[in-house]
Amino acid sequence: MIRKLFAALAVVASATAVADERPTHVFMAGDSTMSIKHVKDYPETGWGVPFAYFFDEGIAVDNRARNGRSTRTFIEEGIWQGIVDELQAGDYVIIQFGHNDQSEHKKDRYTPPETYQANLKRFIADVKKAGASPLLMTPVTRRYFNDQGQIEPTHNGYDQLVREVAEQTGVFFVDMEAVTRAYFTDMGDELSKLRFMHIGPDLHPNYPIGVTDDTHFNHLGAREVAQLVLSELKKQQHPLAKRLRVPDPKHLRQ
C-alpha cells in the first residue's frame, strides 16, 4: 500500500516537473506575410519563420499564421480559439493582420473597418484574460514605388486602424508598416526587389513561368523583416529582447 502511495506521488511529481518545464510560448497570429510555407511555395517565406530562431531554449515560438487569413476568417475557422485554448500566463501573442482584411474585392476574407478593430480588441482582451501579453503590429508594407521613388501606402487606412487600437488599449505596439516601408524605400527599387518574390521564367521549379509578387518575401526579405522586428523589440526594451539565444563563441571572434 505504501509502495503504491509513493509510486502515485512520484507520478504526480513527475507530471508537475514536466509542466514546470514548459517554455514560455510566443504565438504568432497573422497572414501569409508571417506564416510558415509549404515546400511548393518556396522560396516564399513568412517573416515568422526566421524570427523563431532568435530566442533561447526557454522560448517556444508557435507560428499559427495562415495564408489568406483576415481577422474574421482567423476567428471563423477556429484558429484563434486554438491559440486561446493553449495560452498560459506569461506567454506572448504577436498579432499582425490587415492585408486580407482590407481586400474589399475578396468577399471571402474582407473585414469592414469597424469589425476589424473589434476583432483586434477581442484578440487583445482574450490574451490579457489568460494572463499573457499581446504584441500588436501594423501589417508589413507592400513594395509599390511611385515616380518619386517612394513606396506608396497600400493598406487603405487599415494600418491607421491598428494604430488607433494600440492607442486605445495601451498594448505593446510596433508600427511595422512604417518601419518596413522606410526600410525598403531607402533600399530603392532594384535592391528591394531582391527581397520579394521576383523570379524569372525557367529559374525555379515552383515557378516555371516566373513570378512577380510585391507582397510576399523570399528567404532574404523574411530574414531582414524578422531582424527589423527584433530591432524594434530592443528599442522598446520588450522582455523578449532579453531572451535571445547565446551566440556560438566562434561567431564572436574577429
Side-chain angles (χ1 to χ4, degrees):
M1 183 69 178
I2 294 177
R3 289 182 180 177
K4 290 183 178 179
L5 178 59
F6 278 129
L9 290 174
V11 170
V12 172
S14 177
T16 301
V18 170
D20 289 343
E21 292 171 3
R22 177 188 182 272
T24 299
H25 279 49
V26 179
F27 292 95
M28 305 189 76
D31 55 37
S32 59
T33 59
M34 179 192 283
S35 69
I36 300 170
K37 307 298 180 180
H38 295 292
V39 173
K40 66 179 178 61
D41 297 321
Y42 289 170
E44 184 180 319
T45 308
W47 70 260
V49 176
F51 183 78
Y53 297 101
F54 289 162
F55 302 97
D56 64 38
E57 294 180 354
I59 298 291
V61 177
D62 190 337
N63 191 342
R64 303 289 179 93
R66 297 290 184 274
N67 291 8
R69 271 38 173 214
S70 62
T71 57
R72 177 174 63 81
T73 57
F74 207 78
I75 292 170
E76 290 175 349
E77 295 177 22
I79 308 172
W80 177 251
Q81 189 58 48
I83 293 176
V84 172
D85 290 343
E86 296 184 33
L87 264 181
Q88 293 189 17
D91 288 343
Y92 299 89
V93 183
I94 298 176
I95 302 165
Q96 184 185 63
F97 290 91
H99 279 86
N100 298 298
D101 293 86
Q102 58 97 189
S103 298
E104 193 168 358
H105 62 290
K106 297 181 180 180
K107 301 301 181 182
D108 62 321
R109 62 194 67 176
Y110 173 65
T111 311
E114 61 277 8
T115 306
Y116 176 62
Q117 287 193 315
N119 289 342
L120 293 177
K121 290 177 181 178
R122 170 183 171 176
F123 293 163
I124 291 166
D126 286 347
V127 174
K128 287 183 174 180
K129 184 177 180 180
S133 300
L135 288 76
L136 185 63
M137 298 182 181
T138 48
V140 291
T141 192
R142 296 184 179 94
R143 199 196 73 93
Y144 293 115
F145 281 85
N146 60 25
D147 294 338
Q148 289 72 48
Q150 302 294 313
I151 291 180
E152 293 280 2
T154 62
H155 293 113
N156 295 335
Y158 274 62
D159 50 330
Q160 182 57 31
L161 296 176
V162 184
R163 297 182 187 103
E164 292 173 5
V165 170
E167 184 175 354
Q168 292 165 7
T169 60
V171 297
F172 184 89
F173 171 65
V174 179
D175 195 346
M176 286 305 295
E177 192 279 334
V179 170
T180 53
R181 184 153 51 89
Y183 181 75
F184 290 121
T185 293
D186 289 345
M187 190 176 291
D189 189 11
E190 289 303 312
L191 285 178
S192 63
K193 187 185 299 182
L194 298 176
R195 275 77 178 168
F196 286 77
M197 286 293 292
H198 283 244
I199 302 175
D202 298 321
L203 293 178
H204 197 289
N206 282 345
Y207 303 92
I209 64 172
V211 62
T212 301
D213 180 348
D214 289 307
T215 296
H216 298 101
F217 309 115
N218 58 23
H219 297 310
L220 176 60
R223 177 173 62 80
E224 291 185 357
V225 170
Q227 290 170 179
L228 290 173
V229 172
L230 182 58
S231 294
E232 291 301 310
L233 296 180
K234 289 180 177 180
K235 287 178 186 177
Q236 300 192 42
Q237 299 182 332
H238 189 276
L240 281 176
K242 301 176 181 179
R243 300 295 305 275
L244 304 180
R245 64 171 53 252
V246 177
D248 188 318
K250 69 181 181 181
H251 297 155
L252 301 177
R253 298 173 190 158
Q254 295 185 358

